[in-house]
Amino acid sequence: MQNGTILQFFHWYYPTDGSLWKRLAAEAKRLADIGFTAIWLPPAGKGTNGGYSVGYDIYDPYDLGEFDQKGSVRTKYGTREELLGAIKAVHDAGMEVYVDIVHNHLAGADEAELVKVRKVDPEDRTKFISEPFDIEAFTKFTYPGRKGQYSPFIWDFHCFTGVDYDNKTKETAIYSILNDYGEGWEDVVDEEKGNYDYLMYDDIEFRNPYVREELKKWGEWLYKTVSFDGVRIDAVKHIAPDWENEWLDHMRKFTGKNFFAVGEYWAPGNLPLLLKYIEATQGKMSLFDASLHHNLEAASKQGRDYDLTRIFQDTLVAARPDLAVTVVGNHDTQPLQSLEAPVDPWFKPLAYALVLLREAGYPCVFYPDLYGAKYTDKGHDGKDYEIYMPGVENIEKLVQARKRFAYGPQRDYLDHANCIGWTREGDAEHPGSGCAVILSNGDDGFKTMEIGASYAGKTFVDYLGKYPGTVTIDDGGKGEFHVCGRAVSVWVVT
């Protein structure tokens, strides 16, 4: 069986020209040939800004680019038919489709309602700083453009736990809604800000049984419509884990498949929180390894001062390799975004070797790292910045190396602060597989590493072409493998 590799086929600043689905359809076969096995799509539903919304400001999850709503028929990525065409192309190429699910909130309501609320302390959401009073909140979603097609459900204030805007006073604050389904916020794993149930927009009230039923029906409709193979669930740290357990159980029973699921619980450098969430969700979903990403970013910034022997310390891929999706970047960590924490370009080939060529983890490649990206936006200081994200050197070869060579038992040589390596012995199922990987964040380096006695007398070359010459394996199955400074080499048999 081929190693699995995900491609996140979008980034925050992808052009708003409706071309993404068409581009994916055109690229699908090539991506499969490179070695990708699954494509993670952006949220496909209509956002508050129609053809300009990235999708996380979800307005109508049933509108996949079919109805004239929020100023456009298509979404930022194209029309419903183009989406279905792209998914067919991905499936025809032998890859899986992972859809992005936004359960936490809705945005861009059609009507305002008079809602009774209490204002809360934004830094400690467990503290109420007002008596109950009425605000005018945009909490009623009637979807006049869709006219009840696919679902007649009308969302109102009973479907939400909180909002952040009073249209009557034009004040922005965090308001806890008083409704019939629970007092205050829902129980979540994260205790940041006292209780981090509320993130943004109209926060969905999962204690309302009608809401739960509607979201299950929507999940069934989505599966029947797009035939997905897995899900990425947005902002799970802000959602009660019992709801995600219930939804995943329902959907897996409905589909008859134990399909893949990964949650976005972004807690850099806080492995205990990730493990706590995994316990709360009973291992029903994987998580992105925010802890490893934190280490990769630090290593890229510190250069030779970073101790590479610690690169996997306190990471999810070390603690729960079966549930770790490893990333070098994503749409939230890219420059100018809310969780901005980009890995420096020089280190990205090393970072991708660390996630793609080892036994543990399920790696995900970020769109700009394959294609590059260029965009302009305001920074956190309010100034305009032009950003250029170059494609990662040798990224296609690194993915190909995962597809062709990264199999069999692994021997680690994570024993030097500036030069580490490992070998994969290969296996019978993948003829010609096996590799020796070595990387340096300082000077040129080398390591004597064992790859297996079956390779005795065989000659190895650097698949990436970074280091000249060859390595001959001795009778004990060992070789002296070299790497240039601040680079990675992947040695394979000729």
Side-chain angles (χ1 to χ4, degrees), residues 347-416:
F347 192 76
K348 281 186 177 180
L350 287 70
Y352 272 113
L354 288 161
V355 303
L356 288 168
L357 302 180
R358 294 177 58 79
E359 281 183 300
Y362 187 9
C364 181
V365 175
F366 187 31
Y367 184 102
D369 291 338
L370 180 65
Y371 293 104
K374 188 175 182 180
Y375 56 89
T376 302
D377 197 7
K378 290 191 181 300
H380 305 298
D381 57 4
K383 297 179 181 178
D384 288 327
Y385 290 91
E386 186 172 293
I387 301 296
Y388 173 59
M389 297 178 67
V392 175
E393 182 185 21
N394 280 322
I395 186 62
E396 291 190 21
K397 280 199 166 186
L398 284 164
V399 177
Q400 289 167 354
R402 175 172 175 80
K403 175 184 178 181
R404 295 178 57 187
F405 307 117
Y407 300 96
Q410 179 174 292
R411 297 177 177 87
D412 281 338
Y413 297 84
L414 312 181
D415 53 4
H416 190 283

Side-chain angles (χ1 to χ4, degrees), residues 158-161 179 181-182 184 186 203-208 211:
H158 295 292
C159 302
F160 304 107
T161 64
N179 62 33
Y181 298 102
E186 297 186 64
D203 188 76
I204 290 177
E205 171 65 272
F206 296 104
R207 291 168 297 198
N208 182 333
V211 166

Side-chain angles (χ1 to χ4, degrees), residues 1-5 289 292 296 308-313 315-319 321-322 324-326 328 347 349-364 397-415 419-427 434-439 447 449-450 488-490:
M1 184 176 178
Q2 181 183 329
N3 283 325
T5 309
D289 195 345
L292 176 61
L296 296 174
L308 289 175
T309 66
R310 300 172 58 248
I311 197 72
F312 293 110
Q313 185 172 310
T315 63
L316 187 62
V317 76
D322 56 321
V325 174
T326 50
V328 177
F347 192 76
L350 287 70
Y352 272 113
L354 288 161
V355 303
L356 288 168
L357 302 180
R358 294 177 58 79
E359 281 183 300
Y362 187 9
C364 181
K397 280 199 166 186
L398 284 164
V399 177
Q400 289 167 354
R402 175 172 175 80
K403 175 184 178 181
R404 295 178 57 187
F405 307 117
Y407 300 96
Q410 179 174 292
R411 297 177 177 87
D412 281 338
Y413 297 84
L414 312 181
D415 53 4
C419 186
I420 59 173
W422 62 92
T423 63
R424 302 293 302 276
E425 193 167 326
D427 61 25
C435 59
V437 184
I438 181 169
L439 55 91
K447 282 189 175 299
M449 300 190 291
E450 181 181 354
V488 59
S489 287
V490 180

Side-chain angles (χ1 to χ4, degrees), residues 28-93:
K29 185 180 183 305
R30 188 180 80 87
L31 295 172
D33 289 343
I34 291 171
F36 292 104
T37 59
I39 303 297
W40 162 18
L41 306 182
K46 186 70 61 68
T48 60
N49 291 310
Y52 296 93
S53 285
V54 175
Y56 294 105
D57 57 343
I58 187 69
Y59 162 67
D60 186 356
Y62 285 100
D63 184 356
L64 305 179
E66 182 178 4
F67 303 98
D68 189 356
Q69 299 189 113
K70 297 300 181 183
S72 71
V73 172
R74 69 163 176 85
T75 68
K76 174 178 177 177
Y77 310 111
T79 66
R80 180 182 189 271
E81 290 307 310
E82 288 165 349
L83 166 63
L84 297 182
I87 290 172
K88 182 180 186 301
V90 171
H91 283 152
D92 287 349

Side-chain angles (χ1 to χ4, degrees), residues 103 121 125 129 142 252 286 299 321 386 408:
H103 276 163
D121 182 339
R125 312 288 176 76
I129 57 176
T142 61
R252 285 167 173 160
S286 299
E386 186 172 293

Side-chain angles (χ1 to χ4, degrees), residues 195-213:
N195 177 296
Y196 218 169
D197 177 15
Y198 186 82
L199 174 63
M200 61 176 69
Y201 302 120
D202 294 3
D203 188 76
I204 290 177
E205 171 65 272
F206 296 104
R207 291 168 297 198
N208 182 333
Y210 300 103
V211 166
R212 295 169 96 102
E213 189 63 24

Side-chain angles (χ1 to χ4, degrees), residues 168-448:
K168 185 163 58 174
T169 63
K170 312 303 181 187
E171 181 184 11
T172 298
I174 297 177
Y175 304 100
S176 173
I177 293 175
L178 299 175
N179 62 33
D180 297 336
Y181 298 102
E183 178 72 11
W185 308 112
E186 297 186 64
D187 292 330
V188 294
V189 168
D190 204 316
E191 296 179 356
E192 186 180 350
K193 299 184 185 297
N195 177 296
Y196 218 169
D197 177 15
Y198 186 82
L199 174 63
M200 61 176 69
Y201 302 120
D202 294 3
D203 188 76
I204 290 177
E205 171 65 272
F206 296 104
R207 291 168 297 198
N208 182 333
Y210 300 103
V211 166
R212 295 169 96 102
E213 189 63 24
E214 169 64 11
L215 290 175
K216 290 176 187 175
K217 289 179 179 177
W218 171 76
E220 295 175 8
W221 172 86
L222 186 68
Y223 181 77
K224 288 186 288 187
T225 301
V226 305
S227 188
F228 59 78
D229 307 289
V231 297
R232 180 264 188 192
I233 304 177
D234 185 55
V236 295
K237 71 188 288 184
H238 307 283
I239 300 171
D242 73 295
W243 158 248
E244 298 301 356
N245 291 345
E246 182 179 325
W247 189 81
L248 286 170
D249 285 346
H250 174 82
M251 289 302 301
R252 285 167 173 160
K253 182 178 180 180
F254 173 78
T255 62
K257 300 176 182 178
N258 187 28
F259 60 76
F260 173 76
V262 57
E264 183 232 356
Y265 196 121
W266 206 252
N270 199 333
L271 176 62
L273 268 181
L274 300 183
L275 296 175
K276 187 177 179 182
Y277 188 82
I278 284 173
E279 181 180 4
T281 49
Q282 304 163 26
K284 295 180 190 293
M285 72 170 81
S286 299
L287 295 178
F288 292 106
D289 195 345
S291 296
L292 176 61
H293 178 270
H294 177 75
N295 289 358
L296 296 174
E297 185 213 4
S300 78
K301 299 292 190 290
Q302 296 174 28
R304 66 183 305 138
D305 294 330
Y306 187 88
D307 182 355
L308 289 175
T309 66
R310 300 172 58 248
I311 197 72
F312 293 110
Q313 185 172 310
D314 298 324
T315 63
L316 187 62
V317 76
R320 286 298 305 265
D322 56 321
L323 294 177
V325 174
T326 50
V327 296
V328 177
N330 65 25
H331 59 285
D332 287 322
T333 67
Q334 72 182 103
L336 306 183
Q337 269 308 292
S338 57
L339 301 174
E340 179 176 350
V343 173
D344 285 356
W346 77 271
F347 192 76
K348 281 186 177 180
L350 287 70
Y352 272 113
L354 288 161
V355 303
L356 288 168
L357 302 180
R358 294 177 58 79
E359 281 183 300
Y362 187 9
C364 181
V365 175
F366 187 31
Y367 184 102
D369 291 338
L370 180 65
Y371 293 104
K374 188 175 182 180
Y375 56 89
T376 302
D377 197 7
K378 290 191 181 300
H380 305 298
D381 57 4
K383 297 179 181 178
D384 288 327
Y385 290 91
E386 186 172 293
I387 301 296
Y388 173 59
M389 297 178 67
V392 175
E393 182 185 21
N394 280 322
I395 186 62
E396 291 190 21
K397 280 199 166 186
L398 284 164
V399 177
Q400 289 167 354
R402 175 172 175 80
K403 175 184 178 181
R404 295 178 57 187
F405 307 117
Y407 300 96
Q410 179 174 292
R411 297 177 177 87
D412 281 338
Y413 297 84
L414 312 181
D415 53 4
H416 190 283
N418 300 117
C419 186
I420 59 173
W422 62 92
T423 63
R424 302 293 302 276
E425 193 167 326
D427 61 25
E429 187 182 347
H430 303 90
S433 63
C435 59
V437 184
I438 181 169
L439 55 91
S440 166
N441 67 356
D443 301 327
D444 292 1
F446 67 91
K447 282 189 175 299
T448 298

